[in-house]
Amino acid sequence: MFLTATTARNPRLVDAAVGLHRDGLVPPDTYLVDLDAVAANTAALAAVAAAHGVRLWPVFKHVGRNPYVIRTVAGHLPDAAAIDLRDAHAVRRAGARLGNVGHLVQLPIGAVDEVLSWRPEHVTVFGVEQARAVSAAAARLGITQPLLARVVAATDHIYPGQEGGVPLPDIEKFAAEVGDLDAVSLEGVTSFPCLLYDESAGAITPTPNLRTLLTARSRLAVAGSPIRSISAPSVTAAASIPLLAAHGVTHGEPGHALTGTTPLHAADLDQPEIPALVYVSEIAHILPDGRPAILGGGFYPRGRPDVALVFPGSGEPLTLPVEPAPPENIDYYRLLGAPSSGPPLRVGDTVVLAFRTQIFVTRSTVGAVQGVASGKPRLLGLADSQGRPW
């Protein structure tokens, strides 16, 4: 999905992946992240956001909560959104601050005291029971914790496995109940996804969820419970930040824009963010019909890789199709199409791909690299898919 964009806009990242794999410095099933490109992408996002008065909480799940990436991004955007408790731990270990916790995944009740002791700027809650738990923990710490309410309406776009939130018809009642609690304040509302890339239009457009948030803001103002913040995550990029600002949104949550891997970046090679992420594997064995099987572990089911670059020991790289694989099967290997010509392939040959991923749900290793653009890549370190040293 992103191989064309990567070879066109950041070809030295592909070269770095091949060299580091051939030198034995990165194993197969490794995502390689170009930290210099991430830094440039983050700077571009921060500049656009500042120009439009939108604050950004970066998200790191898709890069495996990698500490090198977190620290690189924090140089421009210091407050992160943690989608779950593991995210919050990873962000804190890397030395960044927590802008929002509990969205997409609610904090476990037993972890609320610990997370609040880290002083997150906001905690997202799906209902009054979670708000009560946060208030009780905040009271024990002697603080008042700002909350965001995840608001949902019947017309919203909600992914399976992400259901839940305060029903829009109940938002005034919810605000009143929160107002009766001692140690929390309702500061804003949020949802997901609020924007999506429309492939037919070639543009990022609002979902019904954004309209739900704007309606919630209006209703709360009429009810005498005005809010100050609207966080509208999904496809937050330089191209979409002006759209957020035009709707009065105060916060966005860039994820794939940090690595130039939103669907928009695959289609439009003129976006300011450049590709900063590739997947490195190697040929594990070759079937009798000539199809190479490459080592897997990182093939996110929604990634839809279509082609791979295979680098034989000599000669030019081969572009081979990636065969479809059912998502219900474990990706021990991934088959490529058999080459019709070119040098013979061997076990151990390097393979590079680029596709949409969520590294935190894979078995992959993540390598952080500097110096790619100069042609002198330096591997800073390897981590697992949860950001722990490998």
Side-chain angles (χ1 to χ4, degrees):
M1 185 177 181
F2 292 99
L3 194 56
T4 298
T6 305
T7 55
R9 304 196 66 194
N10 196 358
R12 286 189 169 179
L13 178 56
V14 176
D15 297 338
V18 176
L20 291 169
H21 175 259
R22 284 179 171 173
D23 290 344
L25 295 176
V26 298
D29 183 27
T30 293
Y31 284 95
L32 209 61
V33 185
D34 179 349
L35 292 181
D36 297 331
V38 169
N41 292 344
T42 308
L45 288 162
V48 175
H52 288 84
V54 175
R55 287 189 59 199
L56 298 181
W57 290 326
V59 180
F60 299 104
K61 60 188 175 67
H62 89 285
V63 288
R65 301 158 173 161
N66 187 268
Y68 295 99
V69 177
I70 294 172
R71 286 192 285 268
T72 297
V73 171
H76 297 279
L77 300 172
D79 303 303
I83 63 109
D84 62 12
L85 180 59
R86 291 184 179 90
D87 243 15
H89 277 286
V91 167
R92 187 167 180 269
R93 283 197 308 267
R97 301 195 301 252
L98 290 167
N100 182 23
V101 297
H103 189 254
L104 301 162
V105 182
Q106 289 285 268
L107 292 176
I109 294 300
V112 174
D113 285 80
E114 178 186 28
V115 174
L116 262 59
S117 73
W118 303 339
R119 301 306 301 270
E121 186 178 349
H122 293 82
V123 173
T124 294
V125 296
F126 284 27
V128 71
E129 285 186 273
Q130 291 85 1
R132 290 192 186 107
V134 173
S135 181
R140 289 189 287 271
L141 292 169
I143 63 173
T144 298
Q145 177 62 55
L147 301 180
L148 299 180
R150 177 179 167 122
V151 185
V152 294
T155 56
D156 283 356
H157 182 112
I158 303 295
Y159 292 114
Q162 298 182 19
E163 299 87 354
V166 179
L168 180 60
D170 299 336
I171 191 62
E172 294 92 346
K173 178 184 176 185
F174 171 81
E177 291 177 313
V178 169
D180 290 336
L181 300 176
D182 293 330
V184 292
S185 61
L186 181 60
E187 296 290 315
V189 292
T190 188
S191 182
F192 184 87
C194 296
L195 303 176
L196 286 175
Y197 176 68
D198 184 335
E199 189 172 352
S200 61
I204 297 171
T205 58
T207 70
N209 306 40
L210 181 57
R211 183 171 62 249
T212 295
L213 297 185
L214 301 179
T215 302
R217 178 181 61 186
S218 298
R219 289 177 56 160
L220 288 171
V222 170
S225 301
I227 57 170
R228 297 189 294 180
S229 301
I230 296 179
S231 180
S234 185
V235 205
T236 304
S240 63
I241 290 170
L243 178 62
L244 295 178
H247 285 86
V249 170
T250 60
H251 293 76
E253 299 183 8
H256 276 281
L258 302 172
T259 49
T261 50
T262 79
L264 173 65
H265 294 86
D268 184 350
L269 304 191
D270 293 324
Q271 292 300 308
E273 304 95 340
I274 68 170
L277 182 67
V278 294
Y279 183 67
V280 187
S281 187
E282 69 179 43
I283 295 177
H285 55 276
I286 300 174
L287 301 186
D289 61 8
R291 289 180 295 165
I294 65 174
L295 290 162
F299 288 99
Y300 174 62
R302 292 175 61 203
R304 296 184 297 165
D306 49 6
V307 294
L309 284 176
V310 182
F311 294 82
S314 62
E316 295 297 313
L318 303 179
T319 301
L320 298 181
V322 180
E323 296 196 354
E328 63 268 21
N329 287 62
I330 299 171
D331 63 330
Y332 295 115
Y333 305 102
R334 194 64 178 264
L335 289 177
L336 307 181
S340 58
S341 60
L345 302 182
R346 301 172 304 177
V347 169
D349 282 347
T350 304
V351 182
V352 177
L353 306 93
F355 50 88
R356 187 170 177 83
T357 189
Q358 294 288 346
I359 297 175
F360 80 113
V361 298
T362 73
R363 308 187 300 280
S364 301
T365 306
V366 181
V369 185
Q370 284 185 331
V372 168
S374 68
K376 298 179 180 179
R378 181 168 64 94
L379 181 69
L380 298 189
L382 297 172
D384 68 10
S385 62
Q386 305 304 315
R388 298 169 297 218
W390 192 79

